[in-house]
Amino acid sequence: MKIANREQSAVELVREALAKAHEYQDEYHVFNWINDDAIRKAEEIDQRIAQGEEVGKLAGVPYALKDNFLSPEGESTASALILEGFNSPVTATAVKKLEAEGAIMIGRTNLDAFAHGSSTENSYYGPTKNSKDVERVAGGSSGGSAVAVALGIVPFALGTDTGGSIRQPASFNGVYGLKPTYGAISRYGVVAMASSTDCIGFFTHEAEDLDLLMGVVAGQDKNDQTTLPDFYRESTAKTVKKVGIIKDFDNEAVNSEIREALKRKIGTLKAQGYEIIELEMPALKYALAAYYIIVPAEVSSNLSRHDGVRYGYRSADASSLGELYENTRNEGFMPENKRRIMIGNFVLSSGFYDAYYLKAAKARTLIINEYAKAFEKCDVILTPVAPNPAFKLGEKINDPVAMYLEDVMSVPLNLAGVPGLTVPAGKTKSGLDLGLQLVGPRRSDRTLVEFAKVLEEVK
Ligand code: GLN
């Protein structure tokens, strides 16, 4: 379905989306909250259309919102107990812009608490299930948003991507997932994970819809000083001629069906006259280690605001202010949140700052430079998104390092601030979805979206 193609009334569209949301909820646990009131907004839009009023580009289009976006509709929980009961007075800029064009939020989707994770199993409310196999993970952290689109509940969903949280669940569920250039979309009103790598983006069924959504949501925002001037609407897509592939990613640790899917695509592109450039990017091997130092450092700082005084949950068991902080945080955070707070405090502590944080920051610079060099040789890079297709529920949850390793191919982009787009790339023999990731230089988002449309035709 093309989201701009309004052939049904808003009420019909929203009613259908809500019916599907309820139908799938028990089996897949896509949503933390379903917004049954959405129907009222749809009625309003239909009335405005009937009166001949100008309605927006997305009038009546239902969408799903990752539960780490703030808005007064429903509780904004980030799937963590510590934010349970939190009704935000703030509306995220991305949400405001979508709603100004008439889009209607039909539910808040499940995630790993505070977006820490790669499977949505770290949610306080339990995991979301994969759209093709309910014994497998949805991917994460935006698992609910990916599955909402994959099951056809909504034509698009909002997510956040700090280290792969849009691209990896998109690939695990056979949908498109765009992490734009850092700063393309305002982060205002989104629960902060790691402010230097957090990006807002979308899941869709079609590449073309990403273009429409970027046109609506991207742009500078005075409430987020890291937003870039409006480059998306003003940029033109570059014609891609040279496609880079990363040699170091073609190794035994990567699932063979993923490597075959990449080879197939590359083979077809070559046959169609594209030049394939083999890249050596040795600094990328530092990306995962650097990410798991820099991100926890920022997490520990961003999560310090949750103290049981200002937002959501407060421990009932406290006889002093110190105990109130301690017990609220102990009870309200998930184990993975606490792990990151501890790692973050450790790598920032005076004795270890030079050995860990500073080194990681230097590795980050090497990675940024390496992408810059790579894009002198090619227009885009095509790589796997993750080393494996959707894994089994429970398979990695007790082994944080195994879980972190799943992020090895997605985190380098966030460290460098470059955009990445997951494109569906067929299925495994057992029917699981496969995806590949298009990577471009900063501000090449439009090129990626246009080239994704080309890849749609390249089987
Ligand atoms: N899986 C990565 C992590 O756990 C990425 C999470 C994200 O992008 N929010 O840090």
Side-chain angles (χ1 to χ4, degrees):
M1 179 170 102
K2 303 257 186 326
I3 59 183
N5 179 2
R6 225 181 305 125
E7 284 159 10
Q8 286 169 289
S9 72
V11 168
E12 277 169 339
L13 283 173
V14 168
R15 191 167 285 144
E16 241 172 57
L18 285 172
K20 282 188 197 157
H22 283 290
E23 178 193 334
Y24 290 127
Q25 183 63 3
D26 279 354
E27 197 172 359
Y28 294 92
H29 184 201
V30 173
F31 293 98
N32 287 344
W33 176 70
I34 298 176
N35 183 13
D36 289 309
D37 264 358
I39 212 80
R40 249 183 265 154
K41 277 200 177 164
E43 283 164 1
E44 257 171 53
I45 289 200
D46 282 340
Q47 272 164 16
R48 285 174 52 201
I49 295 174
Q51 287 161 2
E53 270 182 51
E54 195 51 48
V55 287
K57 292 191 189 87
L58 298 168
V61 177
Y63 74 98
L65 183 66
K66 188 175 180 181
D67 200 9
N68 58 350
F69 284 78
L70 305 184
S71 89
E73 283 189 291
E75 292 172 10
S76 307
T77 74
S79 288
L81 173 64
I82 206 160
L83 277 176
E84 203 171 68
F86 176 53
N87 285 109
S88 173
V90 165
T91 303
T93 300
V95 171
K96 254 193 198 150
K97 287 187 170 181
L98 288 171
E99 308 230 332
E101 292 293 341
I104 299 175
M105 188 261 275
I106 64 125
R108 292 180 159 279
T109 58
N110 195 20
L111 63 146
D112 288 295
F114 287 103
H116 302 173
S118 315
S119 67
T120 313
E121 291 165 289
N122 292 331
S123 166
Y124 175 68
Y125 303 109
T128 296
K129 312 286 170 56
N130 185 277
S131 58
K132 305 300 175 316
D133 179 351
V134 291
E135 285 176 13
R136 290 179 185 266
V137 300
S141 65
S142 318
S145 283
V147 175
V149 174
L151 291 176
I153 298 172
V154 282
F156 80 93
L158 271 181
T160 57
D161 189 312
T162 300
S165 278
I166 290 176
R167 288 160 289 145
Q168 185 253 31
S171 80
F172 280 15
N173 292 282
V175 297
Y176 286 88
L178 174 66
K179 175 208 106 65
T181 298
Y182 178 78
I185 298 180
S186 172
R187 292 179 289 113
Y188 179 72
V190 181
V191 176
M193 178 177 167
S195 309
S196 79
T197 70
D198 285 350
C199 288
I200 313 305
F202 309 98
F203 296 90
T204 63
H205 283 291
E206 298 179 33
E208 202 177 324
D209 292 339
L210 292 169
D211 189 44
L212 173 63
L213 293 166
M214 281 298 281
V216 169
V217 178
Q220 204 158 24
D221 177 11
K222 68 173 179 357
N223 288 323
D224 174 358
Q225 296 299 321
T226 61
T227 44
L228 294 167
D230 238 357
F231 72 89
Y232 189 83
R233 272 178 292 269
E234 284 154 20
S235 62
T236 45
K238 184 172 176 188
T239 310
V240 171
K241 294 192 184 110
K242 296 178 182 176
V243 179
I245 49 173
I246 302 178
K247 262 186 170 169
D248 320 66
F249 284 175
D250 190 21
N251 62 51
E252 291 298 303
V254 182
N255 175 284
S256 62
E257 290 186 90
I258 293 180
R259 287 157 69 198
E260 278 161 30
L262 178 60
K263 285 196 180 120
R264 263 201 311 277
K265 273 273 193 261
I266 291 294
T268 329
L269 286 171
K270 214 175 193 169
Q272 293 189 352
Y274 289 91
E275 202 178 324
I276 307 300
I277 313 284
E278 278 201 14
L279 300 166
E280 310 243 7
M281 298 185 72
L284 294 194
K285 64 173 171 294
Y286 305 122
L288 193 69
Y291 175 90
Y292 275 101
I293 290 171
I294 292 169
V295 165
E298 295 185 28
V299 160
S300 67
S301 161
N302 275 326
L303 292 186
S304 64
R305 72 192 70 177
H306 299 280
D307 54 10
V309 176
R310 286 167 288 187
Y311 319 96
Y313 175 81
R314 176 180 300 169
S315 173
D317 167 31
S319 54
S320 67
L321 187 61
E323 249 180 56
L324 176 84
Y325 293 155
E326 208 176 304
N327 294 348
T328 298
R329 287 169 69 81
N330 190 29
E331 293 159 24
F333 284 127
M334 296 296 284
E336 183 60 29
N337 307 139
K338 294 183 211 172
R339 188 175 294 122
R340 293 190 191 208
I341 292 170
M342 286 190 285
I343 295 173
N345 279 303
F346 175 76
V347 298
L348 289 175
S349 61
S350 61
F352 296 97
Y353 178 89
D354 288 355
Y356 292 99
Y357 186 80
L358 201 60
K359 277 239 171 76
K362 286 180 180 168
R364 184 179 197 169
T365 304
L366 291 179
I367 291 161
I368 293 170
N369 294 343
E370 199 155 272
Y371 274 112
K373 263 198 274 156
F375 290 123
E376 285 169 9
K377 298 189 194 116
C378 62
D379 304 312
V380 294
I381 303 174
L382 190 60
T383 78
V385 183
N388 292 297
F391 43 91
K392 287 252 167 82
L393 285 156
E395 192 180 321
K396 298 181 195 281
I397 194 67
N398 295 319
D399 185 350
V401 174
M403 191 72 94
Y404 295 169
L405 279 169
E406 286 299 302
D407 302 335
V408 67
M409 292 152 168
S410 57
V411 300
L413 284 73
N414 299 74
L415 292 177
V418 297
L421 202 176
T422 291
V423 295
K427 290 199 189 307
T428 64
K429 287 185 200 82
S430 61
L432 298 176
D433 287 311
L434 291 171
L436 294 171
Q437 163 175 246
L438 268 176
V439 191
R442 281 173 146 251
R443 305 185 195 220
S444 69
D445 307 49
R446 200 183 269 279
T447 305
L448 295 190
V449 171
E450 289 303 318
F451 193 58
K453 288 190 213 164
V454 173
L455 285 184
E456 226 162 23
E457 309 302 323
V458 178
K459 296 294 168 205

Short mmCIF file of all heavy atoms in Angstrom, two decimals, residues 1-6 61 155 206 208-209 212:
data_model
loop_
_atom_site.label_atom_id
_atom_site.label_comp_id
_atom_site.label_asym_id
_atom_site.label_seq_id
_atom_site.Cartn_x
_atom_site.Cartn_y
_atom_site.Cartn_z
N MET A 1 0.83 -1.21 0.00
CA MET A 1 0.00 0.00 0.00
C MET A 1 0.86 1.26 0.00
O MET A 1 1.77 1.40 0.80
CB MET A 1 -0.88 -0.01 1.25
CG MET A 1 -1.76 1.20 1.36
SD MET A 1 -2.97 1.00 2.66
CE MET A 1 -2.25 1.98 3.94
N LYS A 2 0.59 2.15 -0.88
CA LYS A 2 1.29 3.43 -0.89
C LYS A 2 0.59 4.31 0.14
O LYS A 2 -0.61 4.48 0.10
CB LYS A 2 1.20 4.10 -2.26
CG LYS A 2 1.72 3.27 -3.40
CD LYS A 2 3.09 3.80 -3.80
CE LYS A 2 3.66 3.14 -5.02
NZ LYS A 2 3.35 1.75 -5.23
N ILE A 3 1.37 4.89 1.04
CA ILE A 3 0.68 5.57 2.13
C ILE A 3 0.00 6.86 1.72
O ILE A 3 -0.88 7.34 2.39
CB ILE A 3 1.59 5.78 3.36
CG1 ILE A 3 2.80 6.59 3.01
CG2 ILE A 3 1.97 4.49 4.00
CD1 ILE A 3 3.73 6.75 4.17
N ALA A 4 0.40 7.45 0.60
CA ALA A 4 -0.23 8.70 0.22
C ALA A 4 -1.50 8.48 -0.60
O ALA A 4 -2.26 9.40 -0.87
CB ALA A 4 0.73 9.55 -0.58
N ASN A 5 -1.71 7.23 -0.95
CA ASN A 5 -2.76 6.88 -1.89
C ASN A 5 -4.08 6.67 -1.13
O ASN A 5 -4.40 5.57 -0.71
CB ASN A 5 -2.25 5.60 -2.55
CG ASN A 5 -3.18 5.03 -3.55
OD1 ASN A 5 -4.23 5.60 -3.81
ND2 ASN A 5 -2.80 3.90 -4.11
N ARG A 6 -4.84 7.75 -0.96
CA ARG A 6 -5.99 7.71 -0.07
C ARG A 6 -7.25 7.22 -0.79
O ARG A 6 -8.00 7.99 -1.35
CB ARG A 6 -6.22 9.10 0.51
CG ARG A 6 -6.49 9.09 1.97
CD ARG A 6 -6.72 10.48 2.50
NE ARG A 6 -5.64 11.39 2.20
CZ ARG A 6 -5.81 12.56 1.57
NH1 ARG A 6 -7.00 12.93 1.16
NH2 ARG A 6 -4.78 13.35 1.37
N VAL A 61 -3.76 8.49 7.70
CA VAL A 61 -2.88 7.32 7.62
C VAL A 61 -2.50 6.88 9.04
O VAL A 61 -1.92 7.64 9.81
CB VAL A 61 -1.60 7.64 6.81
CG1 VAL A 61 -0.65 6.44 6.82
CG2 VAL A 61 -1.96 8.04 5.39
N PRO A 155 0.94 1.05 7.68
CA PRO A 155 1.87 1.19 6.54
C PRO A 155 3.23 1.75 6.94
O PRO A 155 4.20 1.58 6.22
CB PRO A 155 1.14 2.16 5.61
CG PRO A 155 0.13 2.85 6.43
CD PRO A 155 -0.20 1.97 7.60
N GLU A 206 7.56 0.01 1.50
CA GLU A 206 8.12 0.40 0.20
C GLU A 206 9.11 1.52 0.38
O GLU A 206 8.92 2.40 1.22
CB GLU A 206 6.99 0.87 -0.72
CG GLU A 206 6.00 -0.25 -0.97
CD GLU A 206 4.86 0.17 -1.84
OE1 GLU A 206 5.08 1.01 -2.72
OE2 GLU A 206 3.76 -0.35 -1.63
N GLU A 208 9.63 3.99 -1.56
CA GLU A 208 9.06 5.28 -1.94
C GLU A 208 8.42 6.00 -0.74
O GLU A 208 8.47 7.23 -0.65
CB GLU A 208 8.00 5.01 -2.99
CG GLU A 208 7.70 6.19 -3.84
CD GLU A 208 6.68 5.81 -4.91
OE1 GLU A 208 6.74 4.67 -5.43
OE2 GLU A 208 5.84 6.67 -5.20
N ASP A 209 7.82 5.24 0.15
CA ASP A 209 7.17 5.85 1.31
C ASP A 209 8.18 6.56 2.21
O ASP A 209 7.84 7.53 2.89
CB ASP A 209 6.41 4.78 2.11
CG ASP A 209 5.20 4.25 1.34
OD1 ASP A 209 4.74 4.95 0.41
OD2 ASP A 209 4.73 3.15 1.66
N LEU A 212 8.53 10.17 1.13
CA LEU A 212 7.43 11.02 1.60
C LEU A 212 7.62 11.37 3.08
O LEU A 212 7.48 12.53 3.49
CB LEU A 212 6.11 10.26 1.39
CG LEU A 212 4.84 10.87 1.96
CD1 LEU A 212 4.55 12.22 1.30
CD2 LEU A 212 3.65 9.93 1.74
#
